[in-house]
Every structure is written in structure tokens, then in C-alpha cells.
Amino acid sequence: MKSMSRSAVSAQDRRLRIELLRMRAGYERVALGQSACRLAGSLQPRMLVDQAGGWLRDMGFGWLGLGLGSLRRYPLILSLLGSVVSNPRRRRIALKTALIAGLVWLGKRHRRDTDVPG
């Protein structure tokens, strides 16, 4: 059996290294594509709202997360809120109504907390 010359072996090693580097680059391209798809999936509005709801619950504002979920489920509510806020006269009436409703809710909550049978 003839032994291969030193230059033939080094050329063969070089071709092998180049092929391995090409395979590695192909693998990294596929991995990058998969990561991009996962990132795009996590940036969908539905996923962002779900994450925001979780963060709000953790901070003690679960009711706000429920409100965001309701707005997502019933887009008519968001449309009505947008039309109310866009008109200055309606905005003033809506703010007064919201303030009164909040005060009534707080009053009922306070009364419920103090009327505990003992």
C-alpha cells in the first residue's frame, strides 16, 4: 500500500474541516430559525396579554388583569371606551360616573367589612 504524501493528507484534512464547518453553519442556521419562530410566537398579542395578566396578579392588581381579559374577549367594550374618551363632553360624564361607581363600591365594601356578625 502506498503511503499518501504529506500535501495530499493536509489537503484532505482541509476539505474535511471545511465540510465540518459548513455542517456546523447549517445547524446553527436551523437553530436560529427555530429560535426566531419561538420568539415570534411569544410576541403575539394574546401571549403578551396573558403575561401581563400574570404580572398584574403577582403585584396584587388581578382585577386589572381580568379587565384586560374582558377587553380582549369583548372588543365592543374597547370600542365604546374609545368613543367615550374621544369626546371631551362624554369624557367628563364618564369620569364622573366612574368616580361615583367607585365610591359606591368602596362604601359597600366598607359596610360589608364592618358588619361582620360577632
Side-chain angles (χ1 to χ4, degrees), residues 7-21:
S7 64
V9 171
S10 67
Q12 189 177 17
D13 285 346
R14 198 179 69 170
R15 282 194 300 264
L16 183 61
R17 283 187 198 136
I18 290 172
E19 190 60 33
L20 286 173
L21 287 172

Side-chain angles (χ1 to χ4, degrees), residues 25-111:
Y27 173 76
E28 288 178 359
R29 276 193 296 272
V30 169
L32 181 65
Q34 290 174 347
S35 296
C37 288
R38 281 193 301 270
L39 177 65
S42 69
L43 291 178
Q44 290 178 351
R46 178 175 48 102
M47 296 300 290
L48 292 174
V49 170
D50 290 343
Q51 288 176 357
W55 294 331
L56 290 171
R57 274 191 301 279
D58 292 343
M59 293 187 326
F61 294 108
W63 56 272
L64 191 57
L66 291 174
L68 287 174
S70 297
L71 289 178
R72 190 184 69 190
R73 189 172 296 130
Y74 305 108
L76 180 64
I77 296 172
L78 183 61
S79 176
L80 289 172
L81 287 174
S83 68
V84 166
V85 172
S86 66
N87 188 339
R89 184 171 173 229
R90 283 191 233 162
R91 186 182 320 145
R92 191 169 47 242
I93 292 170
L95 286 174
K96 287 179 184 177
T97 305
L99 179 64
I100 291 170
L103 290 174
V104 167
W105 178 74
L106 283 174
K108 285 186 175 186
R109 183 176 172 193
H110 178 69
R111 187 177 326 140

